[in-house]
Each structure stands twice: as structure tokens, then as C-alpha cells.
Amino acid sequence: MEPVGPLMTGWSSTLKIIPGNFVNPTASQLLFYDFVAGVGTMKGFDAATGLVHIGPDRPGWRTTWQIAPLTLPGFPITSFLLYDPTLGEAMVCHWDTAGGEASMTPLQVGWRRTWNIVPAHNSAQDNAVLFHDTASGQLFCFKFGYSGGEATMENGWVFPDGSTTNGPATLDGAELAIYQAQIIPGDFSGTGREFYFHLPRTSVSGGTPTNF
């Protein structure tokens, strides 16, 4: 392994880092979210100096966001879902280099407060996002799109007859409930969209899947 830039020190120890093409669709950028300070920052990479700011630091972010990157069909750069499980609120944003985060939806209210949100491995193709209710164990799937200047949300699973649903997921005709799972998106058997569930032996009712 060879470094491609200088060693960078002095970083906050409370950062969550989300990769994506948030500014330039042909290069990667990193969204830095300090969940203690409530600050969001976008950075790109310079081989000589390391990471460089792209736009302003954005103080005043909630300290309770879950952040999931989204690739909306028809929108040229990566957007991101901000979900606050403490209030059951969410919105989709993209990054504006002048002003920071820019909303692509009104603030959504009334969401469950127990979601764990996991983007699919190939979200650039169909933008499926798995919603796991950590309290009930239920699994739901949604797709995010882009229409009329706003982000949209629709059912993520399609049946052979063309009908759709967002869930809850079933296994052998019974509603599937999975608890305490580590969910890892991937393409494990070549179908393009799967989730691997690493879970305790007693955490499943309705079946014992390893991928979905």
C-alpha cells in the first residue's frame, strides 16, 4: 500500500465520513459530519496538500442525523438523506459549493424513530435503500428518484407481475423479522442487489437468511 498524499493529523475524533460524488460527478468527495459539534463539511482531495475544503463549514447541523448517500436518476451528483431518529424527521439534500447543504424535499415528519437505513451496493443503478426497523425487525425497501426539481420516494420491490411494494419483507409467505443484525450491502451472487445479514443465532423469526 502506497500513500497518495501527506499524513494528516489533528482531525476531530467525532467524525462520520460519507463518500460520494457530491460536487464533481467524475471525482470523489467526502462529506465530513461531526456528530458532536453539529458541523457538516465537504472536502476534496489534493495529492500535494491532502484534503481541501469545497464550500463552507456548515455549523448548526443536528447532532442526531443518520446520513445515507443517494444517487438520484437524472440528477448529476450524489445527494444525501438526512434522517433524525430522535424526532422521526428526514429530508434529502445535495451539496451547494456556495451555501452548503441544499434541501431537495420539504422536511418529512412522522417517520418511524427506529430505522437503520442502508443504501444498496449498486445504488447508482436503481437507488434502492433498505429500511430496517430495529424495534420490530421489519424490513422495507424504497427507491429514491428525481422529478420536477425535487427528490421522490417510491416502492422499492417489484413483483414478477409488475406490481410494487415497500414491504414489509416476507420469507416463505411469513413476515420476516430480523433483530440485532449487521447489514452489509453487496453483489454476492451476481444479481446486482443483495444484503448480507450478520446476526446472532437467535435474532431471526420467520427464517434464517444470509442474504436478501
Side-chain angles (χ1 to χ4, degrees):
M1 185 171 64
E2 294 290 334
V4 294
L7 177 66
M8 292 168 281
T9 61
W11 286 23
S12 168
S13 60
T14 53
L15 290 174
K16 292 183 179 179
I17 302 174
I18 300 94
N21 304 108
F22 298 104
V23 177
N24 182 348
T26 63
S28 296
Q29 297 84 43
L30 299 173
L31 174 58
F32 283 69
Y33 167 50
D34 190 322
F35 58 88
V36 172
V39 177
T41 306
M42 188 66 63
K43 296 190 178 186
F45 187 77
D46 182 273
T49 61
L51 292 174
V52 294
H53 273 66
I54 303 176
D57 286 346
R58 294 291 293 161
W61 280 29
R62 301 185 191 186
T63 59
T64 48
W65 289 127
Q66 278 190 38
I67 303 178
L70 302 171
T71 304
L72 307 182
F75 192 70
I77 55 177
T78 306
S79 56
F80 49 95
L81 173 68
L82 299 174
Y83 161 62
D84 186 342
T86 65
L87 296 176
E89 296 179 343
M91 61 181 176
V92 176
C93 297
H94 70 88
W95 188 264
D96 180 82
T97 55
E101 77 284 357
S103 177
M104 301 178 71
T105 59
L107 182 68
Q108 307 292 307
V109 300
W111 282 35
R112 299 189 189 190
R113 303 187 182 194
T114 47
W115 290 129
N116 176 35
I117 299 175
V118 186
H121 171 70
N122 70 331
S123 58
Q125 294 181 33
D126 63 5
N127 213 45
V129 180
L130 188 72
F131 285 65
H132 176 218
D133 188 321
T134 56
S136 70
Q138 294 173 310
L139 294 164
F140 294 78
C141 185
F142 294 92
K143 290 182 180 180
F144 287 81
Y146 180 68
S147 178
E150 289 193 352
T152 61
M153 191 173 179
E154 61 187 40
N155 293 342
W157 282 315
V158 182
F159 292 110
D161 64 2
S163 61
T164 64
T165 184
N166 58 42
T170 59
L171 181 68
D172 298 328
E175 185 174 308
L176 182 64
I178 296 178
Y179 305 94
Q180 304 175 24
Q182 179 185 4
I183 304 175
I184 305 167
D187 185 10
F188 301 107
S189 62
T191 63
R193 189 181 79 195
E194 298 171 313
F195 296 91
Y196 178 84
F197 294 85
H198 179 72
L199 38 85
R201 188 178 183 86
T202 58
S203 67
V204 177
S205 65
T208 54
T210 55
N211 58 55
F212 184 68

